Amino acid sequence: MSREEYSVVVEMDDEPVRREELEFQDFSSTSGVGGKIAKDKQATSDNDGFNNASFFDPHQSIRNESQGGSYPLWSIEYYARYFDVDTNQVLERASKSLFPKDNFVEVVGSNPDLYGPFWIPTTVIFLLFVTATIAKFITDSKSQYDFVILSFGFAAIYTYSFGMPFIVWGALKYFGCKPLLLDTIGLYGYSLTVWLPISIINIVPSDTLRWVLVLVGFAISGFFITRNLYPIISRADSKTSRLLLIFVIVAHAAFALLLKIEFFSYSMG
């Protein structure tokens, strides 16, 4: 009688164990065929160009880089964190653009800002307007302030310092280079630092010297941009990376030529 009871106990205890094993099996792991499919899907989404639903969201990179707190995109608080830099940080980053030996992304670290990329182009616009006005007064004392050139300066400088980063960021993102939007904006914004002294010095009467100064500005700012963009551009295939690099250089050369023609071409004889 006791042998039968013992066998019953064994049978009753054995079945729950099997159920627990079935209940705690993990079929969602990334191993096996399911894991391979998931990895293939993720790899495909890294370089799917315009098919990525988040591609056309320029704030995606900003959201990924944000640290702490969540605010709506239209709120001042959302962008306030990117102006939270002191004068020493801005001056250091500006000086690194004049002597581009270090990787600018490493200089900025995890604290990219919009303060420098906003105020540096704004100051360049103001200086271009002032020097152009002074040059006109020197050649013709009856000249008046030319606010048309001021409006053109706002359009040209802001288009390049903010529009060009979006174009470059979009192209790099399409080709799977995984750029960061804030780093790209900062790169183009701080690249204009060299044009601050050039805008003042270009009041000289020699047109040849003005051409030399424009070429110097183009070389320094162009080297700063390409040196820091190249590690990102090189993530694409060799042919695509060459085309992207040529596009960046040609666009920068066009910008420098525009400055010479529109702001530094005047006769002071």
Side-chain angles (χ1 to χ4, degrees):
M1 187 68 178
S2 61
R3 292 173 60 88
E4 294 177 356
E5 291 177 353
Y6 178 77
S7 63
V8 171
V9 171
V10 171
E11 291 176 358
M12 291 178 66
D13 290 341
D14 187 43
E15 186 176 356
V17 172
R18 290 198 299 271
R19 283 201 300 267
E20 290 180 359
E21 291 177 354
L22 292 175
E23 287 176 0
F24 289 94
Q25 284 184 3
D26 186 7
F27 294 101
S28 61
S29 65
T30 57
S31 62
V33 178
K36 185 177 186 302
I37 294 174
K39 290 180 180 179
D40 291 343
K41 183 177 181 181
Q42 181 179 2
T44 304
S45 63
D46 289 340
N47 189 13
D48 56 358
F50 292 110
N51 294 326
N52 193 334
S54 65
F55 178 88
F56 292 101
D57 183 2
H59 301 289
Q60 183 67 34
S61 295
I62 298 179
R63 284 198 294 270
N64 293 339
E65 298 163 20
S66 61
Q67 298 178 353
S70 58
Y71 302 97
L73 294 178
W74 53 85
S75 66
I76 297 177
E77 291 82 2
Y78 183 87
Y79 298 96
R81 74 192 75 179
Y82 302 116
F83 289 85
D84 187 18
V85 288
D86 56 39
T87 303
N88 292 332
Q89 286 178 306
V90 174
L91 291 178
E92 179 189 9
R93 295 174 184 185
S95 64
K96 295 296 183 180
S97 69
L98 295 176
F99 306 97
K101 296 184 297 181
D102 302 322
N103 189 317
F104 190 71
V105 175
E106 295 178 358
V107 173
V108 172
S110 60
N111 186 31
D113 73 285
L114 294 176
Y115 187 90
F118 173 75
W119 282 112
I120 291 175
T122 303
T123 307
V124 170
I125 294 170
F126 174 75
L127 291 176
L128 290 174
F129 172 70
V130 170
T131 53
T133 301
I134 292 175
K136 285 190 174 183
F137 272 108
I138 292 176
T139 56
D140 184 4
S141 59
K142 296 181 180 180
S143 297
Q144 297 180 350
Y145 292 103
D146 189 359
F147 290 101
V148 174
I149 196 171
L150 179 63
S151 301
F152 182 82
F154 273 107
I157 303 297
Y158 281 150
T159 298
Y160 184 75
S161 60
F162 289 103
M164 190 63 185
F166 272 88
I167 295 174
V168 172
W169 170 81
L172 294 176
K173 189 175 179 67
Y174 176 78
F175 289 108
C177 299
K178 299 180 181 179
L180 296 177
L181 180 57
L182 280 177
D183 286 343
T184 310
I185 293 176
L187 190 63
Y188 272 87
Y190 279 102
S191 72
L192 297 179
T193 303
V194 69
W195 297 104
L196 294 173
I198 290 178
S199 298
I200 299 174
I201 301 174
N202 255 319
I203 196 68
V204 295
S206 173
D207 188 59
T208 301
L209 182 56
R210 290 198 294 268
W211 270 109
V212 171
L213 291 172
V214 169
L215 290 176
V216 170
F218 163 74
I220 294 177
S221 56
F223 179 73
F224 172 71
I225 292 173
T226 54
R227 183 190 186 283
N228 289 280
L229 279 181
Y230 183 75
I232 303 174
I233 293 176
S234 60
R235 296 172 186 171
D237 61 83
S238 58
K239 181 179 180 180
T240 301
S241 59
R242 285 196 298 269
L243 292 175
L244 289 172
L245 191 61
I246 292 173
F247 169 73
V248 170
I249 295 174
V250 169
H252 189 64
F255 173 72
L257 185 62
L258 179 68
L259 292 181
K260 175 61 180 73
I261 295 175
E262 294 295 334
F263 298 100
F264 304 140
S265 294
Y266 37 76
S267 175
M268 300 180 63

